Amino acid sequence: MLGMRLNQYIAACGICSRREADKLIEGGRVCVNGQTAVSGIQVSDEDLVEVDKKSVKPLSAKVVLAYNKPVGVTCTEKDKYAEKTIVEAVKYPVRLTYAGRLDKESEGLMILTNDGALIQNMMKGANCHEKEYIVKVDKEITDSFLSGMANGVYLKELEKTTRPCRMEQTGKYTFKIILTQGLNRQIRRMCGQFGYHIKRLVRVRIMNIELGALKTGAYREIQGEELMELYRLCKLK
């Protein structure tokens, strides 16, 4: 393995995030080749890296999960005010990070993985990866609402106009929306501009990965052709 920054190396071991790794280094809890480490140094597999006197190595196996997040689960690793974090909900033996959050009130598909390159590609807005949602609102849907949402909405609080998106009415109070960006609480903010309030929001697809019949609170490993297609769409091997 080519050299990488020490905090990145520790994160790749599945121990903690890069930010938390920096705190371990600053606290003198990390040694490299028997010497107390300093921030910013480069290490590789040829170096002996120890955290709290225990040798650590990066995880070699990549894990990619599809998870059906329930309402009430918070997309964060640590939050003393959260009723339940995503880490507590999934309880996977390997440390995973999510690619694109859902707010506490929303539910549906999330991708969890220990592959940093995959996360970065999926999160980069310029790549315009599709995400599909089914939404129920509090009043009857109109043609002007559908066209207004589809053409892009200026969100004053974010000082941004949303990209044009695909909208399809699926019921008197429900619609499907396909986005290619992920602004904070985007769909809720967009609906609010037209006086609509969301009663239920479910993400049903991310790129080629579909929620399907996955039960609420359950996860499955993404494997085989489905995984290969995900990496192909992300232009990764």
Side-chain angles (χ1 to χ4, degrees), residues 4-171:
M4 65 170 65
R5 291 176 64 89
L6 180 58
N7 63 347
Q8 183 182 358
Y9 184 97
I10 294 172
C13 295
I15 297 171
C16 60
S17 67
R18 293 188 191 185
R19 185 176 298 177
E20 292 167 334
D22 284 331
K23 293 179 181 179
L24 292 176
I25 297 166
E26 291 168 3
R29 297 167 59 185
V30 181
C31 290
V32 176
N33 300 325
Q35 302 294 318
T36 301
V38 294
S39 297
I41 65 171
Q42 298 273 322
V43 295
S44 72
D45 278 344
E46 296 178 359
D47 295 302
L48 173 61
V49 179
E50 297 174 291
V51 177
D52 292 334
K53 299 181 180 181
K54 294 182 179 179
S55 176
V56 296
K57 287 287 185 183
L59 300 168
S60 56
K62 294 178 181 178
V63 177
V64 185
L65 302 182
Y67 169 58
N68 188 348
K69 186 190 92 67
V71 171
V73 172
T74 302
C75 290
T76 183
E77 295 185 10
K78 291 183 180 180
D79 185 346
K80 64 180 180 181
Y81 299 108
E83 295 176 17
K84 181 179 284 189
T85 68
I86 194 167
V87 173
E88 295 168 335
V90 176
K91 295 179 180 178
Y92 199 78
V94 174
R95 181 182 175 276
L96 305 174
T97 305
Y98 46 85
R101 67 177 61 219
L102 284 171
D103 60 48
K104 183 179 177 180
E105 298 83 9
S106 300
E107 58 190 295
L109 181 63
M110 295 190 66
I111 303 296
L112 307 177
T113 181
N114 60 351
D115 186 345
L118 180 61
I119 291 172
Q120 288 181 5
N121 187 284
M122 294 179 68
M123 293 287 288
K124 191 173 182 179
N127 289 335
C128 296
H129 296 314
E130 287 189 351
K131 296 177 287 289
E132 182 177 334
Y133 305 79
I134 298 296
V135 184
K136 182 178 182 180
V137 290
D138 62 340
K139 59 183 181 181
E140 190 171 344
I141 292 168
T142 64
D143 290 340
S144 61
F145 168 70
L146 292 172
S147 61
M149 291 276 286
N151 291 331
V153 181
Y154 179 68
L155 304 178
K156 184 178 180 180
E157 57 270 46
L158 300 182
E159 297 183 343
K160 289 186 177 180
T161 298
T162 63
R163 288 177 187 156
C165 62
R166 281 188 277 165
M167 293 281 294
E168 179 184 332
Q169 186 169 354
T170 56

